[in-house]
């Protein structure tokens, strides 16, 4: 071989090697492990993190409100998540199809980025899919705590997940697992109970929302079982229900023992059940803002409890690390990210957040491995949810929103949540259950025919609504009219005077009173009195006619002054859209089974007062709840049949039922 041939051979060999390496590199670029669903989640996370720029990682850590988001913003800033704040909807009375279109549009922006990382849309679905027109609204958590039925919680979680997914949304900011220790707190109805054991049991809703975690799964690993389930969020970590005087977003004064024994147990269970995310609390612990508490967010939650999902901030919460809020935003970002917050709910000023966080990382105030950890946790949840394989939503679940099956479930939840506090002025003279066939019934009170009052806050809008037009459901009045005999006259007067009540020749009266809707700080109260004219309605009606009073409220209210004139008293909490669950019990189709999830005080001067306190002197103790007997149910059924030509036999059965009941209750 001559010199020229030898050189040509070597050049050819080198070219062949170069070509071979180029092909391998091209193949490697085409095969991206993070896009392969057969790869383990940890492998996919490592692969995609290795491909991402700092800008892309920080983008994953940002959650903006839908009013700020556009397709172009999603693409340009690599935004990791979008949310609907309370009442934020694509259109007034938007349909499921409207929601799907909006979510898919934002997803288009995310998928058009260099790496095509999908965004995750989040929403408050705290008692059903509460932002959405025509959705099923379940009782608020305090009522579900009265039901004390973990299996029911699973079914509610499952139904809620279906309705949320039906609108294209894969992530909910629920459940709230706060332990409310003072009913003056404006979020007390978001708490299942004053008792940490009950709150812990209610975390079974996570299994309904996300799916049953597979056997053998490691503790702390998030789990979401497919396209009909959603990622859940345990909130608000930790102690938010124990603030001084129940002040919202304020300070919790607590020993380590009380924090771990009262406020932490539900988090243990939530993490064991595979909860995907945890939201930090606005509140402080012994003067230290929770959003800046490294010991608890990173040391305890991520370290001791081995939580592998991501920590999300509350709405503009990192701003409130300083006083006044946003006074030193760079410091707020630094302290929250170093404390362990992974995704920041920064609804509006996201460019400021991105710029400041980028500066902090580039100047080594925040190490790169903290950013990798945060972005990696977020991506891990997205992989687990199947978002990379199914980023878009189809229309296959659209009919799940407000389905009759879900409304029947909500009606069952209402039945199980009601607590009977009084039944008759004496044990021998009970009022409930009510006969369905009588001459005339008086229905009174501002809450008897108001779906908004019945649902409470976090319904359609953040603070709730007034009236019957904002969504679909059955009011108490509507339920009464459906339940009674067709020949029974139902008269509704919202605020009758005593003369009207006396002169109307009513067989009995049903009075519905309570609180007007509120959420968060809007519900702070130092007096805990029912809304006017509730007290006047009770006095005017119940001193003139046999009456059952239904209290529609997010917590116990001052009721002792009116108790002597009331024949029967029912705590209905905030029951949601299915008012027939109330009449199911009033008229004896089912018996009362609910038990007080929290202490009913005599006066606000006693607060805070919880079961086990040395000064415990309640009007009705924690766990109290009467029931109606089977003999009483016989009375109601017999009375309802009075239209048949067996009047004498029915009268006999009524008297026998009353006699047996008097023996049982004496």
């Amino acid at each position: 071989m001559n010199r020229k041939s030898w050189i040509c051979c070597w050049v050819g060999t080198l070219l062949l090697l170069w070509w071979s390496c180029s092909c391998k590199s091209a193949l490697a670029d085409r095969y991206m492990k993070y896009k392969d669903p057969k790869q383990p989640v940890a492998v996919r996370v490592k692969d995609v993190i290795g491909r991402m720029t700092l800008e892309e990682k920080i983008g994953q850590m940002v959650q903006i409100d839908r009013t700020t988001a556009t397709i172009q913003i999603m693409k340009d800033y690599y935004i990791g998540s979008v949310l609907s704040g309370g009442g934020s909807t694509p259109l007034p009375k938007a349909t499921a199809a409207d929601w799907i279109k909006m979510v898919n549009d934002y997803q288009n922006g995310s998928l058009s980025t260099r790496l095509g990382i999908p965004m995750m849309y989040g929403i408050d679905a705290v008692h059903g899919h509460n932002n959405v027109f025509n959705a099923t609204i379940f009782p608020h958590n305090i009522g579900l705590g009265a039901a004390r039925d973990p299996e029911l919680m699973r079914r509610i979680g499952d139904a809620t997940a279906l309705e949320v997914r039906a609108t294209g949304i894969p992530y909910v900011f629920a459940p709230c697992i706060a332990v409310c220790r003072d009913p003056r707190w404006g979020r007390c109805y978001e708490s299942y109970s004053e008792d940490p054991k009950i709150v812990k049991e209610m975390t079974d809703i996570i299994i309904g929302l996300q799916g049953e975690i597979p056997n053998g799964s490691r503790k702390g690993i998030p789990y979401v079982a497919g396209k009909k389930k959603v990622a859940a969020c345990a909130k608000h970590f930790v102690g938010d229900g124990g603030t001084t005087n129940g002040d919202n977003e304020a300070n919790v004064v607590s020993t380590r023992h009380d924090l771990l024994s009262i406020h932490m147990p539900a988090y243990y269970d939530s993490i064991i059940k595979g909860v995907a995310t945890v939201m930090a609390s606005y509140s402080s612990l012994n003067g230290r803002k929770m959003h800046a508490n490294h010991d608890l967010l990173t040391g305890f939650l991520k370290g001791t409890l081995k939580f592998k999902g991501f920590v999300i901030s509350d709405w503009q919460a990192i701003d409130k690390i300083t006083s006044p809020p946003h006074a030193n935003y760079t410091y707020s970002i630094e302290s929250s990210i170093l404390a362990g917050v992974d995704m920041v709910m920064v609804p509006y000023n996201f460019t400021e957040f991105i710029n400041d966080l980028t500066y902090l990382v580039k100047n080594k105030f925040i190490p790169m491995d903290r950013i990798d950890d945060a972005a990696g946790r977020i991506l891990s949840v997205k992989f687990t949810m199947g978002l990379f394989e199914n980023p878009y939503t189809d229309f296959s679940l659209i009919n799940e929103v407000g389905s009759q099956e879900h409304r029947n479930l909500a009606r069952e939840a209402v039945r199980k949540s009601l607590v009977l506090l009084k039944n008759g002025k004496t044990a021998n003279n009970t009022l409930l259950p009510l006969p369905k066939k009588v001459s005339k019934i008086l229905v009174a009170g501002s809450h008897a025919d108001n779906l908004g009052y019945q649902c409470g806050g976090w319904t359609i809008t953040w603070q709730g609504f007034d009236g019957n037009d904002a969504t679909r459901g059955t009011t108490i009045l509507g339920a009464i009219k459906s339940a009674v005999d067709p020949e029974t006259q139902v008269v509704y007067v919202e605020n009758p005077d005593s003369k009207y009540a006396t002169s109307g020749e009513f067989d009995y009266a049903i009075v519905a009173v309570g609180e007007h809707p509120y959420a968060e700080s809007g519900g702070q109260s130092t007096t805990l009195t029912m809304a006017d004219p509730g007290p006047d309605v009770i006095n005017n009606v119940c001193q003139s006619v046999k009456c059952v009073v239904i209290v529609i409220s997010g917590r116990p209210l001052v009721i002792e002054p009116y108790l002597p004139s009331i024949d029967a008293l029912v705590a209905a909490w905030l029951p949601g859209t299915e008012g027939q669950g109330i009449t199911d019990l009033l008229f004896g189709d089912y018996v009362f089974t609910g038990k007080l999830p929290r202490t009913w005080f005599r006066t606000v001067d006693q607060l805070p007062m919880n079961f086990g306190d040395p000064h415990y002197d309640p009007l009705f103790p924690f766990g109290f709840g009467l029931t109606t007997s089977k003999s009483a149910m016989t009375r109601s059924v017999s009375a309802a049949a009075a239209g048949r030509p067996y009047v004498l036999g029915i009268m006999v059965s009524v008297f026998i039922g009353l006699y047996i009941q008097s023996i049982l209750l004496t």
Side-chain angles (χ1 to χ4, degrees):
M1 181 182 293
N2 59 30
R3 179 182 177 84
K4 185 176 181 181
S5 298
W6 182 83
I7 291 172
C8 288
C9 183
W10 270 104
V11 169
T13 301
L14 290 171
L15 287 171
L16 182 63
L17 287 170
W18 174 82
W19 179 82
S20 176
C21 290
S22 297
C23 287
K24 286 180 180 178
S25 177
L27 286 169
D29 284 341
R30 277 200 295 272
Y31 174 65
M32 300 179 180
K33 287 183 179 179
Y34 79 92
K35 290 189 175 182
D36 183 356
K38 296 179 181 178
Q39 293 288 342
V41 168
V43 172
R44 300 178 77 181
V45 170
K46 183 178 179 181
D47 182 63
V48 71
I49 287 288
R51 299 172 185 274
M52 295 171 75
T53 64
L54 174 61
E55 187 179 13
E56 288 167 330
K57 293 171 184 176
I58 288 175
Q60 284 301 301
M61 298 169 65
V62 177
Q63 184 180 67
I64 62 176
D65 187 72
R66 58 157 292 279
T67 57
T68 305
T70 65
I71 295 173
Q72 196 63 42
I73 284 172
M74 300 302 295
K75 179 180 178 180
D76 292 346
Y77 292 93
Y78 312 102
I79 299 298
S81 184
V82 181
L83 83 151
S84 278
S88 182
T89 64
L91 295 167
K93 297 188 176 182
T95 65
D98 294 327
W99 282 93
I100 289 172
K101 181 183 183 305
M102 176 191 69
V103 175
N104 282 348
D105 281 348
Y106 295 143
Q107 196 66 280
N108 282 334
S110 295
L111 296 179
S112 65
T113 56
R114 183 176 69 93
L115 295 174
I117 298 173
M119 67 90 192
M120 60 188 295
Y121 199 102
I123 197 165
D124 290 287
V126 297
H127 64 142
H129 200 6
N130 49 261
N131 265 19
V132 175
F133 178 70
N134 273 348
T136 308
I137 306 300
F138 293 92
H140 265 298
N141 286 357
I142 189 171
L144 299 177
R148 303 190 186 190
D149 187 341
E151 191 271 337
L152 173 68
M153 297 303 300
R154 292 190 186 202
R155 289 188 284 138
I156 289 173
D158 181 69
T160 301
L162 282 171
E163 296 207 15
V164 171
R165 277 288 195 173
T167 57
I169 298 171
Y171 179 29
V172 298
F173 307 123
C176 176
I177 53 174
V179 181
C180 176
R181 303 291 283 177
D182 193 325
R184 291 174 291 187
W185 186 36
R187 304 190 79 152
C188 200
Y189 65 75
E190 296 185 56
S191 168
Y192 295 107
S193 177
E194 71 186 42
D195 181 3
K197 297 186 191 70
I198 291 176
V199 178
K200 184 178 175 182
E201 289 174 354
M202 297 301 101
T203 59
D204 268 18
I205 193 172
I206 293 168
I207 297 172
L209 291 167
Q210 296 191 161
E212 184 95 46
I213 191 166
N215 290 331
S217 291
R218 284 198 300 130
K219 176 184 173 184
I221 303 295
Y223 179 73
V224 182
K227 294 190 291 183
K228 293 183 179 181
K229 297 295 182 181
V230 294
C233 179
K235 65 183 189 182
H236 311 84
F237 189 85
V238 60
D240 50 333
T243 57
T244 302
N245 298 323
D247 291 341
N248 193 39
E249 302 182 13
N251 188 43
V252 180
V253 178
S254 177
T255 63
R256 183 82 168 180
H257 175 270
D258 284 350
L259 183 73
L260 296 181
S261 62
I262 296 173
H263 299 286
M264 199 68 78
Y267 286 96
Y268 307 152
D269 261 33
S270 297
I271 290 165
I272 289 169
K273 289 166 183 170
V275 72
T277 73
V278 169
M279 184 181 291
S281 175
Y282 281 121
S283 57
S284 303
L285 177 65
N286 298 325
R288 188 176 181 186
K289 289 284 188 181
M290 194 56 62
H291 276 78
N293 195 319
H294 179 274
D295 291 342
L296 283 172
L297 291 180
T298 295
F300 194 82
L301 178 62
K302 294 180 176 179
T304 304
L305 299 185
K306 304 186 186 308
F307 173 61
K308 302 300 183 186
F310 69 80
V311 174
I312 186 170
S313 81
D314 210 331
W315 179 277
Q316 293 183 318
I318 69 167
D319 301 51
K320 298 182 180 183
I321 290 173
T322 59
S323 184
H326 208 81
N328 187 341
Y329 195 50
T330 304
Y331 168 77
S332 295
I333 294 171
E334 180 183 4
S335 58
S336 61
I337 301 302
L338 289 177
V341 175
D342 302 307
M343 181 178 282
V344 179
M345 196 182 290
V346 53
Y348 308 124
N349 61 328
F350 66 93
T351 54
E352 181 185 9
F353 173 82
I354 290 170
N355 292 338
D356 284 5
L357 181 53
T358 302
Y359 166 83
L360 289 166
V361 176
K362 286 185 175 179
N363 288 277
K364 303 188 186 309
F365 292 103
I366 295 176
M368 193 67 205
D369 61 1
R370 171 77 270 266
I371 301 301
D372 287 348
D373 174 58
R377 286 171 175 270
I378 293 162
L379 291 163
S380 176
V381 170
K382 290 184 177 183
F383 284 126
T384 301
M385 295 166 67
L387 274 182
F388 280 78
E389 288 69 56
N390 297 289
Y392 291 109
T393 298
D394 59 32
F395 292 79
S396 63
L397 298 175
I398 206 164
N399 292 328
E400 295 288 351
V401 176
S403 71
Q404 191 58 50
E405 181 182 357
H406 294 165
R407 292 185 181 276
N408 292 343
L409 175 61
R411 182 173 176 176
E412 176 189 345
V414 174
R415 287 197 299 266
K416 291 181 174 179
S417 69
L418 267 57
V419 180
L420 181 58
L421 298 174
K422 181 179 180 181
N423 190 15
K425 292 180 178 176
T426 68
N428 296 325
N429 187 26
T430 58
L431 180 63
L432 298 180
L434 301 167
K436 294 181 179 179
K437 183 170 177 63
V438 292
S439 177
K440 195 186 328 184
I441 301 170
L442 173 62
V443 180
S446 54
H447 290 60
D449 190 32
N450 194 308
L451 194 61
Y453 289 1
Q454 194 171 297
C455 291
W458 290 112
T459 312
I460 303 301
T461 72
W462 176 38
Q463 294 290 327
F465 67 93
D466 178 0
N468 297 329
D469 298 329
T471 194
R472 184 166 64 92
T474 304
T475 66
I476 296 170
L477 177 63
I480 292 168
K481 290 180 176 179
S482 296
V484 298
D485 188 89
E487 296 181 15
T488 297
Q489 184 181 357
V490 178
V491 178
Y492 174 58
V493 180
E494 184 175 330
N495 186 16
D497 57 28
S498 57
K499 182 179 179 182
Y500 181 87
T502 304
S503 63
E505 297 182 349
F506 298 104
D507 292 275
Y508 56 79
I510 299 172
V511 175
V513 293
E515 296 184 294
H516 293 164
Y518 57 81
E520 300 190 43
S521 296
Q524 290 296 123
S525 175
T526 57
T527 59
L528 294 178
T529 53
M530 69 181 71
D532 288 331
D536 289 340
V537 176
I538 292 174
N539 289 330
N540 291 340
V541 174
C542 294
Q543 291 180 8
S544 307
V545 185
K546 287 187 298 183
C547 76
V548 52
V549 172
I550 303 167
V551 180
I552 305 293
S553 67
R555 52 202 165 183
L557 301 176
V558 174
I559 197 71
E560 188 175 35
Y562 321 110
L563 203 54
S565 64
I566 295 171
D567 292 277
L569 178 63
V570 176
W573 314 113
L574 298 169
T577 51
E578 306 313 302
Q580 287 172 297
I582 296 174
T583 53
D584 284 343
L585 299 186
L586 292 183
F587 295 106
D589 297 315
Y590 293 83
V591 299
F592 284 86
T593 57
K595 305 296 180 187
L596 281 181
R598 59 178 315 101
T599 299
W600 202 295
F601 58 87
R602 296 179 183 275
T603 70
V604 290
D605 296 335
Q606 296 175 296
L607 300 175
M609 178 175 64
N610 296 283
F611 179 72
D613 288 350
H615 63 287
Y616 198 69
D617 180 30
L619 180 62
F620 300 107
F622 168 82
F624 181 81
L626 302 172
T627 189
T628 38
S629 65
K630 290 183 178 179
S631 59
M633 287 183 68
T634 302
R635 168 194 169 199
S636 177
V637 171
S638 300
R644 299 172 185 168
Y646 306 112
V647 177
L648 181 59
I650 290 162
M651 289 176 65
V652 169
S653 70
V654 169
F655 284 117
I656 290 173
L658 287 170
Y659 177 72
I660 293 171
Q661 183 178 351
S662 69
I663 293 172
L664 292 171
L665 296 176
T666 301

